[in-house]
Amino acid sequence: MEKTQSMLPVRVLLLCCSFSLCSSMFSIPLKIFTGQFNSSVDLDLTPLRKIETSGNGLSLASDPSGIVNFLDMVNNLQGDSGRGYYMEMLIGTPSQTLNILVDTGSSNFAVAAAPHPFITHFFNRAVSSSYWTSGRAVQVRYTQGNWEGELGTDLISIPKGPNATVTINIAAILSSEGFFLPGVNWQGILGMAYPMLARPDSSVEPFFNSLVRQTGIPDVFSLQMCGAGIAASTTADPVGGSLVMGGVEPTLYRGSMWYTPIMQEWYYQVEVLKLEVGDQNLNLDCREYNSDKAIVDSGTTLLRLPVNVFNAVVDAISQTSLIQDSASGFWTGTKLACWAVGESPWRFFPKISIYLRGTNTSQSFRITILPQLYIQPITDVDGTLDCFRFGISSSVNGLVIGATVMEGFYVAFDRAQKRVGFAVSTCAELAGQPLAEIAGPFLAETVSSDCVSRSLLREPLLWVLAYTLMGLCALVLLVLVLLMMLPCRRRGSEITDESSLVRHRIK
């Protein structure tokens, strides 16, 4: 699972400097940066003072006790898609302030508890009188990066969150590799997924489960990330976003909220029915889109697609954009595409649409991102070139709707109703132009009734199966040992012909 992005210095390789027009075809003045750019890190109403409910369990304002006031949570995130979106949290007694990355693709709340060269400070367990250690070791490995530490609990409060102090399971990170990266301004990670993903096992209650249980807020949170079309900012001037805990804030989206069912409660797994590049349907079997799984993950930077789907998308974009074949490094994320300053490349690229199954399973709806979301500005070179990266990558472990797509939408994780909602975000625009669209409903009758293979074994089930097989093997081995020893213990007793045969066969 991706968590952040990093980029090493790059050098310019000019692939094409000409731009010609004719009645039938034109070429794009594309320049490519080479270097070790890693595209796949495998690693804004006055609040009502009463609860209003839409009939589906979503709190739309605030509750009388004052625990939930959604407007207090607007703009409580900082960051960008390249390095993640984080929020300020207070941990321990006396409280220590840390920035924590919001990740809907994992379930552990983990904080740095030891010095690291890429972070400015860490959580000091020794000075917190409310910290308790369980003595249990824990480790988590992501697609890139990993960390190890110990499990404990402590008191947590969020300055721009629910008005409460709660006791939360904490993983104290004592060592890590490839997890904290240069330039990040966060010191921990807030896993917002289900207990099934918690490490070392599902008995470790995740943060949001604990928050709902201890405060009584609705089992819903919603997320807006406002980095769409903006180059990765400096840590001194990050873009923002909102994590609304307890419901959905109406001022953060336009139009209607469209919902798709959560297929399984581990990741936020959804069902993708088809993809379109421009108006071109990729015409792949829908099981290709859901190969392994399809999830919504704020901790993943890019839109990640299974290999066959990725190749089909690149082929379709290449035909539409007319970028030269020599730009293959751009598609694979090893090179940046650069144009002259002020020359926007986005008009050369098509929209990309993802069709999701509706809560009415015979229908679907479509979320669409404009090229400003997946042709992403990175940096400029000597003030003469603007460079961009391809915000889509291939994946061997499923389709991931990451920040590339999520930045266009206000996304509601309605756990109470087991569904994920999408609406066009109020901050997903550039120069007054919306960068995302949503439409529906469409009939899903022509699509397979089940695009998700029920026979696929999920990661936690694989662990159970592995331990079960190990136990069976141990049991069989024990029986064999006992059978071998049994004749030796009965040497003084009568031996029948049948037992002699067994004995001789063992010999």
Side-chain angles (χ1 to χ4, degrees):
M1 156 187 333
E2 293 176 36
K3 299 303 162 198
T4 54
Q5 291 287 338
S6 62
M7 184 176 69
L8 299 177
V10 294
R11 61 185 181 87
V12 178
L13 172 63
L14 301 180
L15 291 184
C16 181
C17 297
S18 62
F19 180 73
S20 58
L21 289 171
C22 66
S23 61
S24 61
M25 181 176 291
F26 58 86
S27 297
I28 297 174
L30 175 70
K31 302 176 179 66
I32 295 293
F33 261 66
T34 61
Q36 299 297 320
F37 179 74
N38 187 352
S39 69
S40 177
V41 177
D42 287 342
L43 17 130
D44 272 295
L45 298 160
T46 301
L48 303 175
R49 289 300 166 188
K50 61 187 180 69
I51 270 281
E52 287 191 5
T53 304
S54 63
N56 53 23
L58 299 185
S59 170
L60 297 180
S62 59
D63 70 322
S65 67
I67 293 176
V68 178
N69 183 350
F70 294 162
L71 290 183
D72 287 345
M73 302 183 219
V74 172
N75 294 326
N76 60 0
L77 298 182
Q78 291 183 310
D80 53 59
S81 62
R83 290 170 295 206
Y85 291 82
Y86 54 87
M87 71 186 310
E88 183 180 274
M89 301 183 75
L90 304 180
I91 308 174
T93 308
S95 62
Q96 302 175 45
T97 303
L98 278 79
N99 292 331
I100 308 297
L101 180 75
V102 177
D103 178 26
T104 63
S106 66
S107 298
N108 282 86
F109 177 47
V111 298
H116 188 283
F118 297 149
I119 61 175
T120 56
H121 59 288
F122 61 92
F123 173 57
N124 189 339
R125 296 164 293 164
V127 301
S128 174
S129 61
S130 53
Y131 178 79
W132 175 84
T133 177
S134 69
R136 298 177 65 191
V138 59
Q139 56 182 329
V140 173
R141 180 175 298 277
Y142 304 94
T143 306
Q144 175 172 314
N146 61 83
W147 53 259
E148 297 181 4
E150 72 166 18
L151 287 174
T153 62
D154 211 333
L155 299 177
I156 304 291
S157 62
I158 305 171
K160 300 187 72 175
N163 183 23
T165 298
V166 293
T167 301
I168 300 295
N169 288 309
I170 296 178
I173 301 175
L174 303 177
S175 64
S176 65
E177 182 178 353
F179 181 70
F180 298 109
L181 299 175
V184 300
N185 193 33
W186 44 265
Q187 299 86 38
I189 187 168
L190 178 60
M192 298 288 286
Y194 290 99
M196 188 178 286
L197 292 184
R199 302 293 185 265
D201 56 59
S202 59
S203 68
V204 180
E205 187 177 58
F207 165 84
F208 196 69
N209 292 65
S210 297
L211 185 67
V212 170
R213 178 175 57 81
Q214 294 179 47
T215 65
I217 66 172
D219 194 9
V220 182
F221 68 90
S222 47
L223 186 59
Q224 181 192 57
M225 304 186 293
C226 295
I230 302 173
S233 59
T234 64
T235 54
D237 185 28
V239 297
S242 304
L243 173 62
V244 176
M245 289 164 277
V248 172
E249 170 51 50
T251 62
L252 298 181
Y253 68 93
R254 297 187 178 94
S256 300
M257 182 76 71
W258 293 77
Y259 288 93
T260 185
I262 294 174
M263 302 302 296
Q264 184 172 338
E265 294 172 308
W266 58 325
Y267 297 97
Y268 293 98
Q269 182 181 353
V270 297
E271 185 177 11
V272 176
L273 302 187
K274 68 177 179 177
L275 263 67
E276 289 178 347
V277 175
D279 296 326
Q280 176 185 345
N281 183 353
L282 294 184
N283 287 319
L284 297 175
D285 187 311
C286 68
R287 286 182 288 268
E288 294 261 22
Y289 304 123
N290 300 277
S291 176
D292 189 56
K293 58 184 176 293
I295 65 173
V296 183
D297 179 11
S298 66
T300 292
T301 302
L302 308 178
L303 167 60
R304 307 191 68 221
L305 303 172
V307 176
N308 290 344
V309 181
F310 175 78
N311 291 336
V313 167
V314 169
D315 287 343
I317 296 176
S318 299
Q319 294 171 16
T320 305
S321 67
L322 302 177
I323 284 186
Q324 298 87 347
D325 291 339
S326 55
S328 61
F330 175 65
W331 306 122
T332 58
T334 59
K335 299 178 182 179
L336 300 177
C338 301
W339 283 264
V341 168
E343 182 177 3
S344 168
W346 296 312
R347 66 186 185 275
F348 301 122
F349 294 87
K351 300 176 181 179
I352 295 179
S353 298
I354 301 173
Y355 286 73
L356 298 167
R357 192 177 295 279
T359 50
N360 178 342
T361 58
S362 65
Q363 297 179 338
S364 68
F365 64 93
R366 176 180 69 208
I367 58 175
T368 300
I369 59 172
L370 274 63
Q372 287 89 334
L373 285 171
Y374 71 89
I375 304 298
Q376 301 171 339
I378 292 296
T379 186
D380 64 84
V381 180
D382 298 329
T384 62
L385 296 174
D386 286 333
C387 296
F388 302 80
R389 72 176 176 188
F390 189 46
I392 306 175
S393 71
S394 63
S395 167
V396 295
N397 54 2
L399 186 151
V400 184
I401 299 175
T404 290
V405 176
M406 293 181 69
E407 285 181 336
F409 300 93
Y410 182 44
V411 184
F413 297 84
D414 184 358
R415 295 151 53 106
Q417 300 291 320
K418 298 183 180 180
R419 60 187 185 171
V420 177
F422 292 84
V424 175
S425 172
T426 55
C427 67
E429 61 178 35
L430 195 61
Q433 177 188 10
L435 302 181
E437 302 167 354
I438 193 164
F442 305 101
L443 289 177
E445 294 176 349
T446 58
V447 181
S448 169
S449 61
D450 188 1
C451 297
V452 179
S453 175
R454 301 295 180 181
S455 64
L456 291 175
L457 290 173
R458 304 306 179 199
E459 185 181 354
L461 296 182
L462 288 174
W463 291 351
V464 173
L465 180 60
Y467 286 125
T468 301
L469 290 176
M470 289 172 61
L472 288 174
C473 289
L475 180 61
V476 170
L477 182 60
L478 178 61
V479 170
L480 289 175
V481 171
L482 290 175
L483 288 174
M484 293 176 66
M485 294 176 61
L486 187 59
C488 297
R489 294 187 176 184
R490 298 186 59 184
R491 284 178 181 174
S493 62
E494 181 180 355
I495 299 175
T496 66
D497 292 339
E498 184 179 355
S499 61
S500 298
L501 283 174
V502 173
R503 186 176 180 187
H504 291 315
R505 284 174 181 174
I506 293 175
K507 286 183 177 179

XYZ file of all heavy atoms in Angstrom, residues 63 65 67-68 162-166 208-218 245:
157
model
N -24.598 17.428 17.701
C -25.492 16.868 18.701
C -25.570 17.772 19.929
O -24.693 18.611 20.153
C -25.037 15.464 19.082
C -23.747 15.474 19.866
O -22.865 16.294 19.543
O -23.629 14.664 20.784
N -24.978 17.434 23.012
C -23.890 17.362 23.989
C -22.647 18.103 23.529
O -21.718 18.309 24.301
C -23.535 15.899 24.263
O -22.973 15.305 23.103
N -20.493 16.982 21.347
C -19.401 16.083 20.965
C -19.083 16.240 19.487
O -17.925 16.224 19.091
C -19.773 14.624 21.288
C -19.859 14.432 22.806
C -18.740 13.661 20.701
C -20.303 13.051 23.210
N -20.127 16.405 18.655
C -19.923 16.496 17.223
C -20.370 17.858 16.707
O -21.520 18.255 16.879
C -20.707 15.393 16.478
C -20.529 15.538 14.981
C -20.238 14.024 16.932
N -13.934 15.629 17.300
C -14.960 15.461 18.344
C -14.479 15.999 19.681
O -13.299 15.866 20.034
C -15.160 13.942 18.387
C -14.761 13.475 17.028
C -13.626 14.360 16.612
N -15.390 16.588 20.440
C -15.054 17.189 21.725
C -15.004 16.104 22.788
O -15.909 15.959 23.602
C -16.067 18.268 22.082
C -15.731 18.976 23.391
O -14.576 18.988 23.813
N -16.735 19.554 24.032
N -13.932 15.326 22.761
C -13.832 14.209 23.691
C -12.382 13.774 23.820
O -11.564 13.977 22.911
C -14.690 13.041 23.214
N -12.076 13.166 24.960
C -10.790 12.512 25.162
C -11.059 11.021 25.323
O -11.872 10.630 26.166
C -10.068 13.058 26.402
O -9.810 14.460 26.212
C -8.741 12.338 26.606
N -10.421 10.216 24.523
C -10.712 8.788 24.524
C -9.422 7.980 24.692
O -8.323 8.469 24.422
C -11.428 8.368 23.215
C -12.814 8.993 23.136
C -10.608 8.754 21.993
N -11.071 4.418 15.063
C -12.436 4.907 14.866
C -13.461 4.022 15.582
O -14.472 4.513 16.080
C -12.770 5.031 13.382
C -13.985 5.883 13.122
C -13.950 7.248 13.358
C -15.172 5.317 12.671
C -15.072 8.043 13.152
C -16.297 6.099 12.455
C -16.250 7.469 12.694
N -13.204 2.734 15.646
C -14.077 1.859 16.429
C -14.116 2.301 17.882
O -15.177 2.343 18.516
C -13.597 0.410 16.337
C -13.757 -0.177 14.954
O -13.119 0.260 14.004
N -14.630 -1.166 14.812
N -12.954 2.623 18.441
C -12.879 3.072 19.839
C -13.591 4.412 20.014
O -14.305 4.624 21.005
C -11.422 3.204 20.277
O -10.754 1.964 20.243
N -13.415 5.311 19.060
C -14.051 6.632 19.137
C -15.573 6.508 19.133
O -16.270 7.138 19.940
C -13.580 7.493 17.963
C -14.063 8.946 17.948
C -13.449 9.718 19.111
C -13.711 9.621 16.618
N -16.110 5.685 18.235
C -17.558 5.482 18.157
C -18.085 4.843 19.443
O -19.105 5.264 20.007
C -17.910 4.612 16.932
C -19.371 4.179 16.981
C -17.616 5.368 15.639
N -17.381 3.832 19.937
C -17.824 3.121 21.134
C -17.812 4.019 22.371
O -18.734 3.969 23.196
C -16.928 1.900 21.366
C -17.256 1.111 22.622
C -16.406 -0.142 22.720
N -14.981 0.128 22.694
C -14.262 0.526 23.750
N -14.866 0.711 24.935
N -12.966 0.733 23.640
N -16.793 4.854 22.515
C -16.647 5.649 23.732
C -17.417 6.965 23.710
O -17.727 7.521 24.776
C -15.162 5.934 23.981
C -14.346 4.686 24.292
C -12.869 4.977 24.505
O -12.504 5.900 25.231
N -12.006 4.185 23.874
N -17.736 7.496 22.534
C -18.439 8.783 22.452
C -19.886 8.649 21.985
O -20.692 9.540 22.225
C -17.717 9.736 21.483
O -17.769 9.193 20.154
C -16.272 9.945 21.894
N -20.209 7.556 21.296
C -21.557 7.373 20.797
C -21.858 8.125 19.512
O -23.020 8.194 19.096
N -20.846 8.668 18.849
C -21.090 9.351 17.581
C -21.483 8.321 16.520
O -21.164 7.137 16.655
C -19.857 10.156 17.108
C -18.692 9.221 16.764
C -19.447 11.184 18.143
C -17.517 9.926 16.104
N -22.177 8.727 15.452
C -22.544 7.781 14.392
C -21.303 7.142 13.778
O -20.228 7.757 13.705
C -23.278 8.671 13.371
C -23.823 9.798 14.186
C -22.778 10.062 15.231
N -15.639 13.436 11.420
C -15.917 12.205 12.160
C -17.302 12.254 12.779
O -17.597 13.142 13.571
C -14.839 12.005 13.234
C -13.489 11.617 12.662
S -12.111 11.810 13.824
C -11.758 13.559 13.638
